[in-house]
Amino acid sequence: MLQLCLPCPSWVSSEYACLFPGDVPDPTSKDGKLGLLGRFKKQLTEWGSLLRRFLRSEDDQVELLLTLEEFCGAEGVFEADRSGTAFAPLFANLLQLLYDGEVVEEAAIGSWAAEKEHADESEKVFLQKSAAFLAWLNEAEEDSEEEESDE
């Protein structure tokens, strides 16, 4: 889905080029970042229900987050195509959109973060980028638990 927010890569067949936008927002500018997030939100609206059908388990959702890290960091199978790095500074925003769109549940995000806590510092880049979102999520969970105990 993220790739559909960027111009058509050279390896995509010309018959599918119409699925991709023709321009590249500047990921270093505020407007460019907002443009990329807007494109992702549109893709998520269009494809979210399908994603939810395939990402039913917590393990599947954690795997999605690990793959998202690889895409944004141009690692693993994404090493040759570095276009995903445009989304690296937006990782926390992507995580929040996936959460808000009910594609990834709070438990999966927590499991992903816990898994990263024990990783090498070099593998904590996206965990660090997401620190504010994770803190908000933990705070919301604590508030929810307090409300339940008050009832």
Side-chain angles (χ1 to χ4, degrees):
M1 276 181 16
L2 289 174
Q3 189 69 56
L4 290 172
C5 299
L6 300 168
C8 184
S10 60
W11 49 265
V12 171
S13 173
S14 60
E15 64 187 307
Y16 299 113
C18 62
L19 298 173
F20 297 85
D23 62 329
V24 183
D26 177 10
T28 62
S29 74
K30 183 177 179 179
D31 287 341
K33 289 175 184 176
L34 290 173
L36 284 173
L37 287 173
R39 289 178 182 185
F40 178 66
K41 192 172 184 176
K42 182 180 175 190
Q43 291 296 328
L44 197 54
T45 300
E46 188 170 335
W47 297 102
S49 62
L50 181 64
L51 277 175
R52 284 188 288 278
R53 288 183 187 187
F54 283 97
L55 301 171
R56 292 181 186 258
S57 76
E58 184 178 315
D59 287 343
D60 290 339
Q61 294 171 24
V62 170
E63 201 57 44
L64 171 74
L65 297 177
L66 293 170
T67 304
L68 180 62
E69 277 188 291
E70 287 184 358
F71 182 73
C72 292
E75 299 170 353
V77 298
F78 303 107
E79 197 170 353
D81 179 13
R82 303 192 53 79
S83 60
T85 58
F87 288 98
L90 306 172
F91 188 85
N93 303 94
L94 299 175
L95 195 58
Q96 182 162 5
L97 287 171
L98 288 167
Y99 173 74
D100 290 344
E102 299 179 351
V103 173
V104 177
E105 297 172 1
E106 185 175 338
I109 295 170
S111 293
W112 166 78
E115 185 176 319
K116 288 296 171 176
E117 283 293 326
H118 305 292
D120 293 336
E121 286 303 313
S122 63
E123 297 197 13
K124 292 183 179 181
V125 172
F126 295 106
L127 180 66
Q128 293 163 353
K129 288 181 183 288
S130 305
F133 172 70
L134 295 170
W136 172 83
L137 204 56
N138 287 333
E139 188 176 299
E141 181 181 356
E142 289 171 7
D143 289 347
S144 174
E145 288 173 1
E146 285 178 14
E147 287 176 15
E148 287 177 10
S149 67
D150 288 343
E151 292 175 0

